[in-house]
């Protein structure tokens, strides 16, 4: 159970709702200060306006017979726009999930879900894009038809693609970059105008990587392609239980060990994926055949074996992978098993973050299993077992970027590390475009601390969900997108001249740089310096350089 402290942090609930974001955006009467103007009954239930003791107006759906019995507003939505959505929700008794649904020209779309409760207001934050421009209708639903749905301060705000990109750029500037001033002076301390400052990056701070497969071990072309681009990795299958102990009692770590050695040699950190996987279809036959006591012993042995072997050598462990969708170990060994595994793994490797790793929290607003609120509740169960982190797999079909942002916003309330751990996109004509949108959104969000794509290479495999190159390591369109973003986030060379006061100012991504300073009139004078750019902690960020006469 989530204790009261975690409940307070994760599930902020206010006595009175805040005002509508963006003044309600394009919605009519978003705060219900003009009765029910703009709103209509949706379904066979009843609706009415009520006023709180503090004088706040809100709308109520009661006498509900169906989950969708509530209230709605009709509007017109445009295909090319991105819509953020929010509302403050309460239910009349207990707790119940409430979802905002849009009935659009191409079908029904969930904009977001919140776990509402009686006695206080919770914020539903979400968003959506539509496939076709046309009339739409927003309404609310809850499968618990025994509760009244109370809603206030509703907002639907459209943004153009340009406005959205501008916000991403602003966020990147603030979260990923720092402005640095270079001051170049003569030996006597006088400022030197016209000095050339050349800056080249050695290592970017933001971890951006891709999964690898064992094929990398004996393929120099694969090695060169990978190491020239990525700063973090994860093994697609080689650390998994079925790869290590295919036959009961016969563990074989040789391939995983070789891949760890390869990554270490190239200075590339590794995510540990995974200790256990809760999906029944990926259990070995010998595991499935075990009785309860035998299985408990086998699970304990597996956890001890892999975590002990790679203790301190990975930057995070996916502990019980996809544990919110599946429950193989819990169904056999009891409901607390996953929490116990988190505790065991933490005891064995106490300084490494233990990840909940799940899909559809940011990809699909229709999946009720892993809404941001349910993810936060799961975090509350395992948080006390040691340093915990949030793993969002990111297996996208058609991305809903506003919903992705809203979900990460919601999870950021936990103030824990958030990673996109397995990003890929379904094959199709828009695959590369969609991949770029997803990666840009992840990189722009200040709560995201790293991103990995799920595109490990194998030779002669035609059924890749997403690949970045062909078999000769020539980029396909998704690979072009990745290279474009790497060049953007890790610019090779930046140069400029100092002004009359000896200053040159530039905004740099966080990372390690080599700085060379010279002057066109002093061919023999050149100085080289190391520079580490970190998030700004003081107002002054001036790098002072003296150049010899």
């Amino acid at each position: 159970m989530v204790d009261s402290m975690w409940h307070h942090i994760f599930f902020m609930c206010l006595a009175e709702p805040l005002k509508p974001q963006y003044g309600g955006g394009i919605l009519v009467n978003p705060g219900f200060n003009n009765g029910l103007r703009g709103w209509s009954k949706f379904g066979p239930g009843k609706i009415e306006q009520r006023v709180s003791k503090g004088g706040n107006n809100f709308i109520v759906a009661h006498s509900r017979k169906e989950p969708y019995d509530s209230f709605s507003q009709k509007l017109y939505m445009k295909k090319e726009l991105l819509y953020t959505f929010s509302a403050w929700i309460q239910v009349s008794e207990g707790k119940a999930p409430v979802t905002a649904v849009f009935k659009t020209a191409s079908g029904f779309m969930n904009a977001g879900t919140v776990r509402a409760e009686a006695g206080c207001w919770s914020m539903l934050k979400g968003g959506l894009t539509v496939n076709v421009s046309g009339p739409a209708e927003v309404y609310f639903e809850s499968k618990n038809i025994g509760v009244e749905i109370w809603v206030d301060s509703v907002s639907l705000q459209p943004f153009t693609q340009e406005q959205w990109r501008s916000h991403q750029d602003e966020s990147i500037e603030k979260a990923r970059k720092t402005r640095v001033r270079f001051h170049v002076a003569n030996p006597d301390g006088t400022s030197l105008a016209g000095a050339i400052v050349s800056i080249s990056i050695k290592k970017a701070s933001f971890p951006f990587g891709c999964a690898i497969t064992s094929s990398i071990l004996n393929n120099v072309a694969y090695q060169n392609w990978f190491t020239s681009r990525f700063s973090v990795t994860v093994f697609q299958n080689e650390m998994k239980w079925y790869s290590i102990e295919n036959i009961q009692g016969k563990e074989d770590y040789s391939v995983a060990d070789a891949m760890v050695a390869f990554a270490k040699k190239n200075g590339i950190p590794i995510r540990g994926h995974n200790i256990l996987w809760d999906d029944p279809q990926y259990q070995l036959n010998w595991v499935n055949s075990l009785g309860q006591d035998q299985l408990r012993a086998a699970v304990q042995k597996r956890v001890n074996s892999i975590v002990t072997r790679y203790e301190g050598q990975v930057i995070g462990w996916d502990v019980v992978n996809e544990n919110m969708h599946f429950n193989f170990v819990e169904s056999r060994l009891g409901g607390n098993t996953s929490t116990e595994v988190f505790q065991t793994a933490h005891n064995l490797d106490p300084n490494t973050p233990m990840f909940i790793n799940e899909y559809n929290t940011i990809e699909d607003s229709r999946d009720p299993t892993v809404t941001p609120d349910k993810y936060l509740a799961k975090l509350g169960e395992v948080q006390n077992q040691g340093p915990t982190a949030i793993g969002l797999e990111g297996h996208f079909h058609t991305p809903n970027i506003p919903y992705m942002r809203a979900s990460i916003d919601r999870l950021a309330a936990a103030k824990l590390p958030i990673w996109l751990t397995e990003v890929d996109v379904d094959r199709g004509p828009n695959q590369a475009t969609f991949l770029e949108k997803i990666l840009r959104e992840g990189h722009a969000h200040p709560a995201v601390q790293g991103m990995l794509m799920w595109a490990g290479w194998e030779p002669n495999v035609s059924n890749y969900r997403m690949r970045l190159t062909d078999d000769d390591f020539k980029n396909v369109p998704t690979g072009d997108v990745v290279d474009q973003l790497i060049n953007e986030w890790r610019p090779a060379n930046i140069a400029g001249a100092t002004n009359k006061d000896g200053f040159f100012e530039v905004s740099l991504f966080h990372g390690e740089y080599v700085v060379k300073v010279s002057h066109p009139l002093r061919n023999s004078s050149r100085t080289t310096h190391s520079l580490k750019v970190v998030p700004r902690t003081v107002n002054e960020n001036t790098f002072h350089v003296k150049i010899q006469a």
Side-chain angles (χ1 to χ4, degrees):
M1 296 296 290
V2 182
D3 64 29
S4 58
M5 179 185 72
W6 290 114
H7 183 274
H8 173 72
I9 293 172
F10 293 165
F11 303 107
M12 183 177 68
C13 209
L14 304 181
E16 295 289 353
L18 301 181
K19 291 183 179 179
Q21 290 189 308
Y22 308 107
I26 61 175
L27 294 178
V28 176
N29 192 21
F32 305 97
N33 296 319
N34 296 306
L36 299 179
R37 185 170 71 88
W39 297 87
S40 305
K41 185 165 69 78
F42 193 91
K46 298 179 181 179
I47 66 171
E48 63 183 53
Q49 183 202 44
R50 290 185 193 166
V51 183
S52 70
K53 291 180 181 178
N56 178 64
N57 300 301
F58 57 96
I59 191 171
V60 174
H62 62 91
S63 306
R64 300 174 55 244
K65 307 296 184 186
E66 300 288 347
Y68 54 79
D69 282 354
S70 63
F71 29 78
S72 68
Q73 184 168 138
K74 291 182 169 63
L75 52 134
Y76 187 92
M77 300 181 74
K78 296 181 180 179
K79 177 182 178 181
E80 67 273 13
L81 299 180
L82 300 97
Y83 292 87
T84 62
F85 180 82
S86 62
W88 287 84
I89 316 285
Q90 188 172 164
V91 290
S92 54
E93 58 184 73
K95 299 174 184 176
V98 177
T99 300
V101 183
F102 281 74
K103 183 181 179 183
T104 74
S106 60
F108 293 86
M109 301 184 68
N110 290 1
T113 300
V114 70
R115 189 187 70 163
E117 58 184 276
C120 59
W121 294 89
S122 300
M123 185 185 189
L124 185 157
K125 191 171 187 181
L128 72 162
T129 56
V130 292
N131 298 326
V132 181
S133 297
E137 190 171 9
V138 56
Y139 66 96
F140 298 84
E141 68 177 30
S142 176
K143 291 182 179 179
N144 184 347
I145 62 174
V147 300
E148 299 176 350
I149 299 175
W150 302 2
V151 173
D152 198 3
S153 297
V154 193
S155 174
L156 182 68
Q157 177 65 32
F159 292 92
T160 64
Q161 298 284 345
E162 293 75 17
Q163 288 170 328
W164 200 270
R165 177 68 179 272
S166 177
H167 182 273
Q168 288 176 333
D169 291 343
E170 289 174 13
S171 182
I172 287 170
E173 195 70 31
K174 184 176 180 181
R176 310 288 181 212
K177 301 176 79 175
T178 294
R179 292 200 72 78
V180 179
R181 291 199 311 165
F182 295 88
H183 181 238
V184 182
N186 290 301
D188 62 3
T190 57
S191 296
L192 183 59
I196 305 302
V197 180
S198 300
I199 308 159
S200 58
I201 193 165
K202 285 174 57 182
K203 182 180 179 182
S205 291
F206 184 81
F208 180 47
C210 186
I212 57 174
T213 70
S214 59
S215 295
I216 203 166
L217 294 174
N218 300 305
N219 189 317
V220 175
Y222 188 3
Q223 294 172 8
N224 292 339
W225 173 83
F226 184 87
T227 57
S228 64
R229 286 165 172 79
F230 300 118
S231 60
V232 65
T233 195
V234 63
F235 306 165
Q236 283 203 177
N237 296 302
E238 289 81 0
M239 276 194 185
K240 291 172 181 170
W241 195 0
Y242 58 66
S243 297
I244 300 297
E245 193 179 2
N246 188 258
I247 299 172
Q248 185 176 9
K250 294 185 177 180
E251 293 182 330
D252 183 358
Y253 281 98
S254 58
V255 174
D257 284 351
M259 292 172 72
V260 169
F262 165 80
K264 281 185 176 180
K265 177 183 176 183
N266 290 282
I268 299 173
I270 308 158
R271 292 192 73 253
H273 179 78
N274 49 50
I275 299 174
L276 296 176
W277 194 356
D278 237 0
D279 190 338
Q281 71 171 318
Y282 293 107
Q283 306 307 319
L284 291 155
N285 288 335
W286 71 261
V287 172
N288 275 318
S289 69
L290 298 177
Q292 186 180 61
D293 291 342
Q294 294 172 312
L295 178 61
R296 190 179 304 279
V299 165
Q300 187 67 34
K301 179 190 172 191
R302 160 65 179 174
V303 176
N304 278 280
S305 175
I306 190 166
V307 179
T308 301
R309 191 176 194 88
Y310 298 123
E311 175 196 358
Q313 300 183 69
V314 297
I315 57 171
W317 283 109
D318 292 335
V319 182
V320 187
N321 198 50
E322 297 172 357
N323 178 228
M324 295 177 68
H325 277 99
F326 307 108
N327 66 342
F328 175 78
V329 294
E330 293 87 352
S331 67
R332 302 285 190 96
L333 303 179
N336 291 326
T337 304
S338 61
T339 302
E340 292 168 0
V341 172
F342 267 87
Q343 183 67 70
T344 301
H346 166 63
N347 291 342
L348 294 169
D349 196 357
N351 297 316
T352 299
M354 302 290 156
F355 278 77
I356 295 175
N357 196 50
E358 268 297 349
Y359 63 90
N360 278 356
T361 302
I362 57 174
E363 302 100 303
D364 194 340
S365 61
R366 300 165 300 177
D367 190 339
T369 308
V370 284
T371 63
D373 278 1
K374 287 192 175 180
Y375 199 115
L376 291 173
K378 182 68 176 180
L379 278 171
E381 293 177 17
V382 302
Q383 179 64 26
N384 294 328
Q385 316 309 320
T388 311
I390 296 169
L392 305 171
E393 292 183 12
H395 297 295
F396 286 87
H397 303 283
T398 300
N400 178 349
I401 298 298
Y403 181 78
M404 175 183 175
R405 178 179 295 182
S407 297
I408 298 174
D409 283 347
R410 184 76 184 91
L411 293 170
K415 300 190 183 305
L416 296 171
I418 297 175
W419 280 62
L420 308 190
T421 58
E422 303 181 15
V423 175
D424 63 8
V425 185
D426 266 347
R427 285 183 291 180
N430 296 313
Q431 186 184 47
T433 301
F434 289 163
L435 178 64
E436 180 179 355
K437 289 178 183 293
I438 294 158
L439 294 176
R440 284 194 182 279
E441 186 63 36
H443 185 247
H445 201 293
V448 174
Q449 295 192 7
M451 297 191 300
L452 278 151
M453 292 171 292
W454 203 247
W457 181 88
E458 291 281 7
N460 306 313
V461 175
S462 60
N463 62 343
Y464 279 98
R465 189 166 191 266
M466 186 181 83
R467 62 188 304 169
L468 303 179
T469 74
D470 61 19
D471 283 346
D472 296 318
F473 295 95
K474 305 297 184 186
N475 278 358
V476 296
T478 48
D480 287 338
V481 162
V482 169
D483 281 356
Q484 172 194 335
L485 293 176
I486 288 173
N487 292 333
E488 190 177 312
W489 300 339
R490 194 179 66 196
N493 290 289
I494 299 169
T498 56
N499 62 16
K500 62 183 178 63
D501 298 314
F503 287 102
F504 169 64
E505 187 171 336
V506 65
S507 182
L508 297 174
F509 282 99
H510 302 147
E512 298 174 14
Y513 294 83
V514 173
V515 180
K516 295 181 179 180
V517 182
S518 60
H519 198 281
L521 300 181
R522 303 177 183 181
N523 293 332
S524 61
S525 297
R526 179 186 294 269
T527 59
T528 302
H529 309 266
S530 295
L531 172 66
K532 188 170 185 177
V533 180
V534 297
R536 179 174 294 187
T537 55
V538 293
N539 291 329
E540 180 68 16
N541 248 309
T542 303
F543 190 72
H544 295 279
V545 180
K546 287 187 178 180
I547 188 167
Q548 299 298 318

